[in-house]
Amino acid sequence: MPTVAPFDLAGHCVAAAFLDDIPHFALADGTIHRLDHGAKSVVAHDGLLCAAITWDGMALVTGGEDGKVALTRPDGGTETLAEVPRKWVTSVATGPQGAVAYASGRTAFVRFADGKVKSFDHPRSVEGVAFAPKGMRIAVARYNGATLHFPAAEGKPAELEWAGAHNGITFSPDGNFLVTTMQENALHGWKLADGKHMRMTGYPAKVKSWSWSAKGKWLATSGAPAAIVWPFSAKDGPMGKAPVELGTRGNTMVTSVACHPRDEIVAIGYADGMILAGRIADLKEVVLRRGGKSAVTSMAWDAAGIRLAFGSEEGECGVVDISA
Amino acid sequence: MAEAQTNAGNGTQIPVTVLTGYLGAGKTTLLNRILSENHGKRYAVIVNEFGEIGIDNDLIVESDEEIYEMNNGCICCTVRGDLIRTVEGLMRRPGRFDAILVETTGLADPVPVAQTFFMDDDVRAKTRLDAVVALVDAKHLPLRLKDSREAEDQIAFADVIVLNKTDLVTPEELAKVEGLIRAINPTAKIHKTSRSAVDLSAVLDRGAFDLKRALETDPHFLDADDEHDHDHHDHDHHHASDIHDVTVNSISLRAGEMDPKKFFPWIEKITQAEGPNILRLKGIIALKGDDERYVVQGVHMIIEGDHQRPWKDGEKRESRLVFIGRNLDAERLKRTFEACQA
């Protein structure tokens, strides 16, 4: 039986994450809490909007209402990497060699490990940024499509067009596909080799959480009464294929998903605070948390895939241990 | 839909006031008053530029105006993407403010701003549009109307109009400007003032989009063509044509009790077909066999309706509907509306 160790905080949890195997909870007020032999915390921002874990899993990069991009380590040390005065930093992403991308208004920035910053202006707002899994390349989600930049080189960006407002953005772990969440209740994708489009529609709500499975064979998403899990193992990704619906419930919505680091299992968090684990192969489900006062907003597995950190809209956070 | 319903129960929705008006109409002055005067409420303010706001406040957020067309083939379905993002961020830390104020640029189209609060499920679950307030410069309005469709749209779309800088015009000029405003929008409340010195309670917490409140708090609603309304008799669509620079017209319809089997398909069809031409619609409908007043309101193709309250004893059970828009066929609307009578 899984056991839940609750960790009640006050405020919206933007991100739950394991840094060096220590569970961290980044709250919207700017405080980053951690459970490291007792509850500890550090204030990283006045208002925290977005977060991404570094590729080595040893730090959390966050963007805030205070215009700062901060990096926080599991020892509680926090430093400001960059600042955009009087603007909100609304999206952050982490990349290779300690690079960080962030967005504010109509500009995307890439900060290299040596502190050098390169900026990319766009005609419309940068809604999301993501690094490609290989090479120094970023993708920007914008109105009517996505833009690809090579920050380490000069040259023209590559534009991918699709009408509508694109909000979130992610590369598939093999680098073959680029996927966006849209203002409409849909995902859009491009096969990067030939620019072929993928439309993933049918959601009753906006997709706000997604997670690639181990080896990138599946993309699990929120936005429906079940986790909608798209197959990406075929040459053309999910084109012409139906998604797997995992953990279907009749009366509530999936608000957060997190794929297990090794097995094809998805942790599914719901609007009523419940968390299930569902296996893609046979659709078997296990209850990890019965429910709570508010929607699950973020979840993350530890490296071993034994503990799941979760956070919610009203600050009910905690860690589920599935080994017991 | 499902999500909107799930979230609807979580606490109360934060009211949002939208402040429009041409450059120089006095928006910043009014904004500074709202931020500094002691009215017991804390406001989060979303502005396009910090500009002249002289007040240092963590809750003033600068935001790039982003109009996003929805990918559903409907050209009037536009939202403000930056507002969705900013409101979502603000609402993650509730308790810091009691209400939100959105200041638009002088040239802004108020429609996408308003539609954001109806079309985005997440925004709608946490906030509610309270009113659209337009500041109008009494001196320069006639000139503005000549060169800009936006100035007209802002007036047409407003619930509250602050007719500012009245000290700079003669009583005759003022009467003419007021006539112009009435020709564009017969239902908005007009407050005449100078230096934006309007009573803040006339601007804030109006409940103009609240179906239960909107048509109740305003005793003059839809009375524009009543004979007792002596202020202005040149407002209706037949007379609007002699004001050359006005392209918006309003159509006030009046009829008896409606057959719900005819009325609902009719209003649905009209808003689908004429949606792009309709800026606002408001109405009180008497449905045959129904003891409660039915109220409707709409923005372009978005339409909402609900029962409001029981008809009072002696209250005349009639149906009234006002359209504000462009290129609306008054004769056809009148004929088809009347055909819905029971």
Side-chain angles (χ1 to χ4, degrees):
Chain A
M1 267 299 285
T3 55
V4 182
F7 183 37
D8 285 339
L9 300 168
H12 183 111
C13 179
V14 174
F18 280 93
L19 304 181
D20 195 19
D21 242 18
I22 297 164
H24 284 67
F25 306 91
L27 301 192
D29 67 4
T31 315
I32 299 175
H33 298 264
R34 65 188 189 278
L35 286 170
D36 182 15
H37 306 287
K40 291 166 185 165
S41 70
V42 59
V43 176
H45 293 276
D46 180 6
L48 185 153
L49 294 164
C50 49
I53 191 164
T54 54
W55 285 18
D56 63 5
M58 294 298 285
L60 194 67
V61 174
T62 49
E65 292 179 18
D66 53 5
K68 287 179 183 162
V69 180
L71 180 133
T72 305
R73 296 193 179 80
D75 62 4
T78 185
E79 59 176 298
T80 299
L81 295 182
E83 218 169 334
V84 189
R86 299 190 86 179
K87 289 277 221 173
W88 283 18
V89 174
T90 50
S91 178
V92 289
T94 54
Q97 301 147 38
V100 169
Y102 53 99
S104 184
R106 291 173 179 164
T107 308
F109 303 86
V110 174
R111 180 193 183 275
F112 298 95
D114 62 4
K116 208 174 74 195
V117 174
K118 198 161 172 181
S119 65
F120 302 91
D121 291 331
H122 296 80
R124 304 294 292 263
S125 284
V126 175
E127 296 281 353
V129 284
F131 273 94
K134 283 179 224 109
M136 190 60 79
R137 188 183 201 192
I138 63 160
V140 162
R142 55 166 172 84
Y143 187 49
N144 289 338
T147 303
L148 296 165
H149 299 279
F150 293 89
E154 298 301 323
K156 276 173 76 173
E159 306 285 358
L160 296 167
E161 304 299 334
W162 184 260
H166 299 259
N167 295 332
I169 192 158
T170 182
F171 284 91
S172 62
D174 61 10
N176 290 337
F177 301 97
L178 185 67
V179 187
T180 60
T181 58
M182 297 194 69
Q183 169 64 25
E184 288 82 40
N185 303 332
L187 302 181
H188 193 78
W190 291 268
K191 191 181 168 189
L192 290 171
D194 55 15
K196 259 189 207 159
H197 293 282
M198 297 176 276
R199 298 183 62 194
M200 291 161 268
T201 58
Y203 291 91
K206 252 191 274 184
V207 179
K208 296 206 166 169
S209 170
W210 52 10
S211 172
W212 292 96
S213 74
K215 300 189 192 82
K217 281 166 78 175
W218 303 88
L219 176 63
T221 60
S222 70
I228 305 299
V229 188
W230 297 94
F232 272 81
S233 49
K235 177 169 66 70
D236 283 343
M239 277 182 270
K241 295 197 171 71
V244 172
E245 294 183 25
L246 203 54
T248 308
R249 290 178 59 200
N251 52 357
T252 189
M253 298 289 276
V254 173
T255 51
S256 179
V257 288
C259 289
H260 191 272
R262 281 202 307 268
D263 301 324
E264 287 182 347
I265 289 171
V266 187
I268 308 165
Y270 298 85
D272 63 359
M274 186 186 261
I275 301 171
L276 299 180
R279 189 156 59 197
I280 298 171
D282 57 7
L283 308 182
K284 280 227 169 81
E285 297 160 12
V286 181
V287 176
L288 299 186
R289 182 181 186 242
R290 291 190 181 285
K293 286 193 294 239
S294 63
V296 178
T297 50
S298 180
M299 297 186 294
W301 292 94
D302 67 0
I306 288 169
R307 289 175 301 160
L308 178 80
F310 65 89
S312 78
E313 214 168 274
E314 287 179 23
E316 307 157 276
C317 301
V319 179
V320 181
D321 189 324
I322 62 166
S323 66
Chain B
M1 278 312 183
E3 190 175 57
Q5 279 159 12
T6 322
N7 291 345
N10 294 354
T12 49
Q13 293 158 304
I14 293 281
V16 179
T17 304
V18 177
L19 201 56
T20 68
Y22 236 73
L23 201 66
K27 270 184 303 179
T28 306
T29 310
L30 183 61
L31 199 56
N32 277 331
R33 281 192 54 216
I34 292 171
L35 286 171
S36 59
E37 275 182 26
N38 187 10
H39 45 68
K41 278 205 170 161
R42 295 162 301 164
Y43 278 83
V45 184
I46 303 172
V47 297
N48 191 250
E49 260 185 8
F50 287 113
E52 312 260 308
I53 300 166
I55 289 146
D56 193 26
N57 184 327
D58 288 348
L59 286 170
I60 301 175
V61 187
E62 199 183 64
S63 158
D64 294 306
E65 190 173 83
E66 281 295 355
I67 295 172
Y68 291 159
E69 218 170 89
M70 295 296 288
N71 215 357
N72 58 3
C74 162
I75 52 146
C76 55
C77 285
T78 49
V79 295
R80 281 273 302 270
D82 58 310
L83 285 182
I84 295 173
R85 198 182 333 111
T86 308
V87 166
E88 189 176 18
L90 285 171
M91 291 310 295
R92 284 179 181 172
R93 293 166 79 192
R96 292 186 292 167
F97 52 87
D98 309 297
I100 297 173
L101 200 67
V102 180
E103 186 209 22
T104 66
T105 61
L107 285 168
D109 178 357
V111 173
V113 181
Q115 289 190 154
T116 303
F117 296 91
F118 292 98
M119 293 187 68
D120 188 275
D121 286 344
D122 300 321
V123 169
R124 194 186 169 122
K126 307 232 155 149
T127 58
R128 62 174 174 82
L129 190 56
D130 183 67
V132 177
V133 178
L135 267 93
V136 174
D137 176 339
K139 175 107 182 139
H140 292 109
L141 179 68
L143 204 65
R144 287 280 167 257
L145 289 177
K146 272 195 208 306
D147 60 19
S148 124
R149 181 169 153 144
E150 288 86 0
E152 196 181 357
D153 280 352
Q154 289 170 359
I155 292 169
F157 202 76
D159 303 290
V160 176
I161 291 167
V162 178
L163 182 49
N164 206 13
K165 309 200 177 182
T166 52
D167 53 336
L168 303 179
V169 294
T170 64
E172 293 74 36
E173 284 175 308
L174 184 60
K176 194 166 170 243
V177 164
E178 210 180 339
L180 269 172
I181 292 172
R182 275 290 169 230
I184 299 167
N185 186 334
T187 67
K189 283 211 158 187
I190 300 178
H191 298 280
K192 284 172 264 188
T193 186
S194 55
R195 291 172 195 86
S196 301
V198 61
D199 186 346
L200 292 182
S201 66
V203 174
L204 305 173
D205 196 23
R206 303 303 308 155
F209 285 86
D210 178 348
L211 283 170
K212 301 271 177 204
R213 263 181 73 192
L215 314 178
E216 196 64 53
T217 50
D218 183 356
H220 296 297
F221 171 69
L222 300 180
D223 285 353
D225 54 356
D226 281 3
E227 50 282 2
H228 63 254
D229 195 7
H230 297 299
D231 282 352
H232 37 78
H233 3 132
D234 60 340
H235 55 266
D236 77 17
H237 54 95
H238 298 297
H239 295 261
S241 55
D242 64 331
I243 303 168
H244 299 299
D245 304 317
V246 172
T247 61
V248 167
N249 63 338
S250 70
I251 293 158
S252 301
L253 304 174
R254 186 174 287 231
E257 288 190 305
M258 294 274 146
D259 177 352
K261 286 202 189 73
K262 289 179 188 158
F263 173 74
F264 288 108
W266 174 80
I267 191 98
E268 180 97 348
K269 199 175 141 206
I270 290 289
T271 48
Q272 284 301 311
E274 296 290 329
N277 294 327
I278 300 168
L279 283 166
R280 295 284 293 264
L281 78 84
K282 293 181 184 183
I284 298 168
I285 306 300
L287 296 170
K288 180 84 180 166
D290 192 336
D291 286 332
E292 291 197 17
R293 279 157 55 119
Y294 194 85
V295 287
V296 291
Q297 65 166 1
V299 174
H300 284 321
M301 284 188 186
I302 303 168
I303 180 153
E304 292 188 325
D306 201 0
H307 284 100
Q308 184 197 28
R309 60 158 175 82
W311 288 98
K312 287 175 190 155
D313 287 339
E315 196 173 15
K316 193 174 170 192
R317 293 201 184 188
E318 61 172 7
S319 302
R320 288 174 290 163
L321 194 57
V322 170
F323 290 90
I324 298 176
R326 284 192 172 85
N327 307 318
L328 294 169
D329 182 343
E331 293 311 320
R332 198 174 67 114
L333 285 173
K334 183 172 185 295
R335 179 166 39 82
T336 52
F337 178 66
E338 284 171 359
C340 297
Q341 291 182 100

